[in-house]
Amino acid sequence: MKPTFGTSSTVICLVIFFAFGFAFLIYTDTIQFDYKSRLPLLDLRSISAAPCLTGSSVPLRVYMYELPRRFHVGMMQKGKHVDDKAAVTADNLPPWPERSGLRKQHSVEYWMMASLLYNANGDEENATTASREAVRVLDPDSADVFFVPFFSSLSFNIHGHTMTDPETEIDKQLQADLIDILRRSQYWQRSAGRDHVIPLHHPNAFRFHRGQLNDTILIVADFGRYHKSLANLRKDVVAPYVHIVDSFVDDNSPDPYASRKTLLFFRGKTIRKDEGKIRAKLEQVLAGYEDVIYDKSDPTGEGVNAVSVLLSIQGMRSSKFCLNPAGDTPSSCRLFDAIVSHCVPVIVSDHVELPFEDELDYSKFSIFFSVKDALKPDYMVSELRKISKVKWAEMWRWLKIISHHFEYQYPPKKEDAVNMIWRQVKHKVPAANLAVHRSRRLKVPDWWK
């Protein structure tokens, strides 16, 4: 006998009645039900301690071109008789000079190469692939991406960085020679360079032949000196500068707010180009405050020395906020010096792009002002004074949590700067593959634009 409509309705009503009754008893604690242990996904507190997404357990497979030493470490070994064709290995990789000023800021290319050369044998902490976002493969056909280890930033800095002296021709020739090598590579030809990774961290790196890299995955500091058709967030990766000041590893003051007497600190050049012109204007706006230090100097330039670095370290570690206006381009190394000093960054740059922003919420540990607002008399200082001790302490704690993501080191460590960069490259691979596959079948490329 088939159930009637009335019988079905009665059953449904009874089920709903008992469900609501059971929920009411739990709500009023009449019945004790440990829903947090049984439904752990409802307890969101654990998320706050892990600001970054967990990387895939499968590392990115990277094939690294075997280039002559003059394209990379040979620039670090000038004056030494080293075979230009000798392979670079983990055993003979020269260490990066500790105090190298501007050259160190843009040494991202070195750390990326070093991470691929690193052999984790005997290193228990970093031996597992789970702690490495990228591993080197020797078979190019098994690679996800191709890394081109040309030290373009170092080449600019040592081969005529004034852009006028004769040594500039060396940088120009290296770029031309590299383009020739890539054009003859079947793997470059296969994808038109879309699955190739080239660091161009200095804003003037590879300036003579940039137009040949339109489709390549570029590793940049920002997009200040790139046309949108050459570099953009869709295909490229923004990487942090290598910080100049030492990391504040023992920042354990019981009352950091009180121990940092200076409200706002800045130390650096004030005469800059483009967006950096705001620095000279900020000097006037911020004059006259007893707890604001605005020091015109060159702490991170070519003439950097131990005394200069020490003054910057002392200033940042004794300040609640560190001012980070634009440089010649929208970004500057000062932001990352502030982060590792646990000095809350105050970012004044309308066109800045920030590293790892799909995983890090900078608003949790930074303050942002538009250029227009920052130049209003008394406005910025007044707004900073409104930030409570509790709020500042929360931002300070966030800086301590995330600062390891901005450490370049060898051997590389889990979720340090270079591993974060490789993770970002991994995020770009699907789009690169899509572009490669479409290009093989389309008769009219990008007809939809």
Side-chain angles (χ1 to χ4, degrees):
M1 179 179 178
K2 295 182 180 180
T4 63
F5 175 77
T7 303
S8 300
S9 300
T10 301
V11 172
I12 293 172
C13 289
L14 287 172
V15 170
I16 293 174
F17 174 79
F18 282 113
F20 273 103
F22 184 67
F24 177 77
L25 292 174
I26 293 176
Y27 180 77
T28 57
D29 284 338
T30 303
I31 294 179
Q32 298 296 320
F33 181 64
D34 186 8
Y35 62 91
K36 289 185 178 180
S37 64
R38 296 174 184 269
L39 300 173
L41 291 179
L42 294 178
D43 188 1
L44 304 180
R45 291 176 297 178
S46 60
I47 295 177
S48 62
C52 281
L53 301 173
T54 302
S56 169
S57 59
V58 180
L60 187 71
R61 295 166 299 182
V62 185
Y63 178 83
M64 181 163 61
Y65 276 79
E66 291 280 3
L67 298 178
R69 284 175 171 253
R70 67 179 180 276
F71 287 98
H72 38 74
V73 298
M75 301 181 209
M76 303 169 59
Q77 299 173 305
K78 284 205 165 188
K80 297 182 179 180
H81 297 288
V82 181
D83 183 359
D84 188 45
K85 296 182 180 180
V88 181
T89 66
D91 294 329
N92 63 25
L93 175 71
W96 185 268
E98 182 58 30
R99 301 298 184 191
S100 49
L102 184 60
R103 297 180 185 181
K104 181 181 180 182
Q105 293 184 41
H106 297 293
S107 60
V108 176
E109 54 213 12
Y110 170 86
W111 302 103
M112 294 185 72
M113 180 182 185
S115 72
L116 295 177
L117 292 172
Y118 173 62
N119 186 339
N121 289 340
D123 183 356
E124 294 183 4
E125 181 181 355
N126 299 294
T128 64
T129 55
S131 66
R132 304 178 67 182
E133 296 292 339
V135 293
R136 185 184 185 186
V137 295
L138 301 180
D139 177 11
D141 289 318
S142 68
D144 298 312
V145 295
F146 296 77
F147 180 65
V148 182
F150 174 43
F151 289 4
S152 58
S153 297
L154 185 59
S155 181
F156 170 77
N157 276 317
I158 68 174
H159 293 140
H161 69 275
T162 62
M163 302 191 193
T164 57
D165 57 62
E167 279 202 41
T168 300
E169 292 301 314
I170 300 177
D171 183 30
K172 185 176 183 179
Q173 188 60 52
L174 282 172
Q175 294 174 36
D177 291 346
L178 181 66
I179 291 296
D180 183 59
I181 291 172
L182 293 175
R183 284 178 173 171
R184 287 188 282 108
S185 164
Q186 62 173 306
Y187 299 101
W188 177 275
Q189 296 171 11
R190 184 178 68 182
S191 68
R194 292 182 178 92
D195 54 3
H196 282 52
V197 180
I198 304 182
L200 302 186
H201 201 261
H202 191 287
N204 292 322
F206 221 93
R207 62 194 179 97
F208 295 106
H209 293 281
R210 283 182 178 178
Q212 308 299 316
L213 307 177
N214 280 12
D215 296 321
T216 309
I217 300 173
L218 303 178
I219 311 298
V220 300
D222 57 43
F223 301 108
R225 292 186 181 170
Y226 296 93
H227 189 274
K228 293 178 181 179
S229 62
L230 172 61
N232 53 73
L233 280 175
R234 177 185 59 80
K235 72 175 185 69
D236 301 316
V237 173
V238 176
Y241 290 66
V242 181
H243 61 82
I244 300 300
V245 305
D246 297 336
S247 300
F248 199 174
V249 294
D250 56 348
D251 186 8
N252 299 313
S253 170
D255 191 350
Y257 187 86
S259 66
R260 294 175 179 251
K261 305 297 184 184
T262 301
L263 176 70
L264 182 63
F265 176 81
F266 171 84
R267 189 166 189 269
K269 286 184 176 181
T270 58
I271 306 301
R272 308 303 289 179
K273 295 173 284 187
D274 302 324
E275 285 193 45
K277 292 177 181 178
I278 189 180
R279 293 188 181 185
K281 298 177 181 178
L282 286 172
E283 180 186 8
Q284 299 174 358
V285 171
L286 296 173
Y289 295 99
E290 292 185 359
D291 55 355
V292 174
I293 296 177
Y294 201 93
D295 184 7
K296 291 191 299 181
S297 61
D298 187 12
T300 56
E302 203 63 41
V304 69
N305 55 60
V307 174
S308 179
V309 171
L310 181 59
L311 290 173
S312 293
I313 291 174
Q314 292 173 341
M316 288 187 167
R317 293 185 182 183
S318 60
S319 301
K320 296 178 178 68
F321 300 97
C322 284
L323 183 62
N324 300 279
D328 289 340
T329 62
S331 64
S332 78
C333 182
R334 193 164 288 97
L335 168 61
F336 308 101
D337 286 343
I339 288 174
V340 300
S341 300
H342 308 154
C343 181
V344 176
V346 177
I347 300 173
V348 181
S349 180
D350 290 343
H351 301 104
V352 71
E353 292 298 340
L354 300 168
F356 323 138
E357 201 167 7
D358 60 338
E359 301 190 52
L360 294 177
D361 181 357
Y362 279 75
S363 68
K364 292 182 180 295
F365 53 86
S366 305
I367 304 295
F368 294 86
F369 289 97
S370 67
V371 169
K372 180 181 178 181
D373 286 342
L375 293 177
K376 294 178 182 177
D378 299 321
Y379 180 76
M380 185 160 54
V381 171
S382 175
E383 290 299 304
L384 293 179
R385 293 197 197 283
K386 292 178 183 178
I387 296 175
S388 68
K389 178 178 180 178
V390 172
K391 176 62 176 176
W392 181 89
E394 180 184 349
M395 301 180 86
W396 171 78
R397 283 192 291 271
W398 269 109
L399 286 169
K400 294 181 69 176
I401 290 172
I402 57 89
S403 60
H404 70 285
H405 297 310
F406 301 93
E407 298 289 354
Y408 290 90
Q409 55 208 335
Y410 187 83
K413 295 184 179 180
K414 183 177 181 179
E415 293 195 332
D416 65 0
V418 76
N419 271 306
M420 293 290 284
I421 291 170
W422 283 122
R423 186 189 295 178
Q424 292 292 307
V425 172
K426 192 189 303 184
H427 296 171
K428 305 296 181 180
V429 170
N433 288 339
L434 173 63
V436 171
H437 297 163
R438 290 182 74 251
S439 69
R440 290 173 182 167
R441 57 115 178 144
L442 287 180
K443 303 300 182 183
V444 183
D446 295 336
W447 57 268
W448 45 271
K449 285 188 176 180

